Amino acid sequence: MKSYKVAHLVKGEDLNHHGTLFAGRMAEWFTEACFVAAASKYGKTESIVCVKIHGMRFSAPMNKGDIITLRSKVVTTGTTSITVYGKATRENDDRVLLDGFITFVVVDENGNKMPHNLEKPQPSNEEEAALIEEAKKLR
Ligand SMILES: CC(C)(COP(=O)(O)OP(=O)(O)OC[C@H]1O[C@@H](n2cnc3c(N)ncnc32)[C@H](O)[C@@H]1OP(=O)(O)O)[C@@H](O)C(=O)NCCC(=O)NCCS
């Protein structure tokens, strides 16, 4: 499975009233990172819309000055849907700070869903196989 990577520096304007990274800012970064994987797989950014953010689990706070890396990969596809797994870590640290799934749908120029004819991603290890199984249960 092809993985996409986007990095962000946590700045003062990204913080909440606790002084840690604001969840809404991370939601934007997470959505964009997952969108990059879906749109790259399909090949056209204008045809991809988000139908469901299944969940974002924050496992640890992120702080001002952190460089946060978001990785995303398409884990399953249906007829019109593309489901992406995304996770955030600090640069040079494998601990997962946040992760979750987003499902996108391919649409035509009128915004109607459209078959994408994409092949299902194949897992290359046990972790990817587990993500596929998890993604299949999402709704
Ligand atoms: C995306 C949209 C065109 C889908 O149309 P729809 O008639 O609701 O489509 P369906 O319910 O048949 O679902 C389409 C696909 O999404 C999947 N899907 C829908 N809801 C889902 C959910 N909650 N979880 C997982 N997959 C879901 C369906 O399983 C189907 O997948 P498949 O074709 O691969 O089998 C329509 O809901 C829409 O325009 N939504 C607004 C999109 C938007 O503005 N997003 C924010 C900005 S990007």
Side-chain angles (χ1 to χ4, degrees):
M1 287 179 186
K2 185 164 180 182
S3 180
Y4 294 84
K5 181 176 162 182
V6 185
H8 292 276
L9 171 66
V10 179
K11 303 188 289 300
E13 64 261 33
D14 303 319
L15 305 182
N16 57 29
H17 57 293
H18 304 290
T20 57
L21 177 62
F22 177 49
R25 181 77 75 223
M26 177 47 93
E28 183 182 345
W29 292 351
F30 179 76
T31 306
E32 185 174 320
C34 292
F35 178 89
V36 166
S40 299
K41 174 102 177 162
Y42 186 63
K44 290 184 197 164
T45 52
E46 67 275 18
S47 307
I48 306 289
V49 294
C50 173
V51 71
K52 173 89 176 197
I53 299 174
H54 299 280
M56 293 185 357
R57 181 170 190 276
F58 289 84
S59 308
M62 288 156 260
N63 303 308
K64 188 175 166 185
D66 283 346
I67 294 172
I68 302 297
T69 301
L70 287 129
R71 288 186 174 77
S72 58
K73 56 174 85 166
V74 172
V75 290
T76 191
T77 56
T79 305
T80 66
S81 65
I82 302 173
T83 299
V84 178
Y85 172 74
K87 71 177 178 184
T89 60
R90 286 192 182 85
E91 194 64 18
N92 305 320
D93 183 350
D94 287 342
R95 182 180 174 202
V96 177
L97 304 169
L98 164 135
D99 68 342
F101 293 86
I102 302 187
T103 298
F104 299 90
V105 170
V106 173
V107 295
D108 63 18
E109 57 280 9
N110 298 314
N112 298 315
K113 66 186 174 186
M114 189 178 81
H116 49 52
N117 300 315
L118 294 172
E119 286 185 8
K120 283 200 184 298
Q122 296 303 316
S124 48
N125 54 46
E126 282 184 16
E127 189 187 342
E128 289 184 348
L131 288 174
I132 291 172
E133 289 311 308
E134 210 178 326
K136 282 182 189 165
K137 295 181 205 144
L138 298 170
R139 189 61 204 174

